[in-house]
């Protein structure tokens, strides 16, 4: 008998064999552009599928320029579920702080470990070109990938804590300066899977546009719209 996680993985693998289409995402897609001086973001209403309990993978193509950040505290965010401090299920963001630090942070808030995070130092100018990033959690390990290669890992335990609330792409919370957590660059081909994908799986599809995937996968191509082309988690 297949477990829930194996069943979801099998459904998604089947769909990939039939429906994964497209040239490299960084060449074909439009993406969404954000400016840390301007309060703008994509917001997706709460749904339990956005806080999967068997594990998670989030993916995106990003371009980021830390040199143009305003002064003061800055946390340019790729995506965040739940906007309240300490209540988030997860977020992926640049920990720029007050010094324009070049570090990408992946945080999960779990029943066993509470808020736990890992970071990847991408160096000054390291994300000026389109870069595929992925973050996973499988119930015991957090991992970060850049262009399909693992760049950081850490331990945690338990399932994601689900406190409800929205998912945002391109911004985190509204605390302080309204634009403090707005991303500073472009984001494309955002995906959310209800299990932790392997390095090989991430590499195999990172350059393709994906849609119509079953098993509670969400895919936002951001090609001039905020539709979820694999599910019903549409943004605005």
């Amino acid at each position: 008998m297949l477990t829930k996680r194996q069943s979801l993985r099998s459904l998604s693998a089947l769909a990939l064999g039939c429906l994964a289409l497209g040239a490299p995402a960084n060449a074909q897609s439009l993406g969404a552009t954000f400016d840390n001086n301007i309060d703008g973001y994509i917001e997706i209403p709460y749904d339990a599928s956005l806080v999967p309990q068997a594990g998670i993978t989030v993916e995106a193509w990003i371009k980021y320029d830390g040199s143009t950040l305003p002064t003061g505290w800055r946390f340019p965010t790729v995506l965040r579920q739940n906007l309240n401090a300490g209540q988030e299920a997860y977020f992926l963001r640049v920990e720029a702080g007050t010094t324009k630090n070049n570090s990408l942070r992946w945080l999960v808030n779990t029943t066993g470990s509470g808020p736990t995070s890992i970071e990847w130092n991408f160096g000054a100018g390291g994300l000026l070109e389109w870069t595929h990033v992925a973050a996973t959690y499988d119930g015991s390990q957090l991992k970060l990938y850049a262009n399909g290669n693992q760049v950081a890992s850490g331990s945690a335990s338990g399932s994601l804590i689900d406190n409800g609330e929205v998912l945002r792409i391109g911004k985190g919370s509204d605390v302080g300066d309204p634009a403090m957590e707005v991303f500073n660059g472009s984001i494309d081909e955002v995906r959310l899977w209800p299990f932790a994908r392997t390095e090989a799986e991430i590499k195999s599809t990172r350059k393709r546009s994906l849609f119509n995937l079953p098993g509670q996968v969400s895919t936002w191509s951001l090609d001039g719209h905020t539709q979820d082309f694999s599910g019903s988690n549409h943004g605005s």
Side-chain angles (χ1 to χ4, degrees):
M1 177 181 291
L2 292 177
T3 65
K4 178 180 179 182
R5 181 172 180 274
Q6 290 170 328
S7 298
L8 290 171
R9 184 185 292 276
S10 297
L11 281 169
S12 295
L14 175 63
L16 287 174
C18 302
L19 299 171
L21 305 172
N26 58 340
Q28 90 170 37
S29 300
L30 300 174
T33 299
F34 303 87
D35 185 334
N36 193 252
N37 290 285
I38 301 170
D39 186 13
Y41 50 88
I42 296 166
E43 190 161 280
I44 298 150
Y46 170 78
D47 186 84
S49 65
L50 299 173
V51 191
Q53 298 299 291
I56 188 172
T57 301
V58 297
E59 303 181 48
W61 282 91
I62 62 174
K63 284 200 303 183
Y64 168 77
D65 186 0
S67 68
T68 62
L69 283 177
T71 58
W73 289 97
R74 300 289 157 179
F75 300 99
T77 299
V78 179
L79 81 171
R80 174 177 175 139
Q81 195 284 323
N82 194 306
L83 312 180
N84 301 305
Q87 299 296 306
E88 63 274 88
Y90 53 85
F91 66 63
L92 181 64
R93 74 185 190 190
V94 177
E95 292 290 297
T98 59
T99 60
K100 300 183 181 180
N101 185 39
N102 296 298
S103 180
L104 187 67
R105 182 185 182 194
W106 167 234
L107 178 143
V108 295
N109 192 6
T110 70
T111 55
S113 304
T116 306
S117 64
I118 56 176
E119 295 189 28
W120 167 53
N121 188 342
F122 53 83
L127 297 177
L128 289 175
E129 301 297 326
W130 281 111
T131 303
H132 183 268
V133 295
T136 69
Y137 175 64
D138 64 2
S140 62
Q141 288 282 310
L142 299 82
K143 295 180 180 180
L144 262 175
Y145 300 85
N147 288 328
N149 300 308
Q150 184 179 317
V151 292
S153 65
S155 299
S157 64
S159 57
L160 293 175
I161 293 175
D162 187 351
N163 290 314
E165 267 280 359
V166 300
L167 171 70
R168 275 187 183 170
I169 296 172
K171 183 186 178 181
S173 74
D174 298 311
V175 65
D177 179 340
M180 182 174 71
E181 297 194 9
V182 174
F183 198 67
N184 202 55
S186 298
I187 301 175
D188 198 8
E189 297 291 335
V190 178
R191 301 159 190 172
L192 190 156
W193 307 74
F195 54 83
R197 303 187 81 204
T198 66
E199 183 172 305
E201 288 170 337
I202 291 167
K203 283 182 176 178
S204 71
T205 58
R206 70 185 181 91
K207 291 185 176 181
R208 293 188 176 274
S209 296
L210 303 179
F211 54 90
N212 290 348
L213 300 183
Q216 294 190 319
V217 181
S218 286
T219 56
W220 298 276
S221 64
L222 304 184
D223 292 339
H225 57 75
T226 58
Q227 297 289 100
D228 174 3
F229 271 6
S230 289
S232 57
N233 293 315
H234 308 306
S236 59

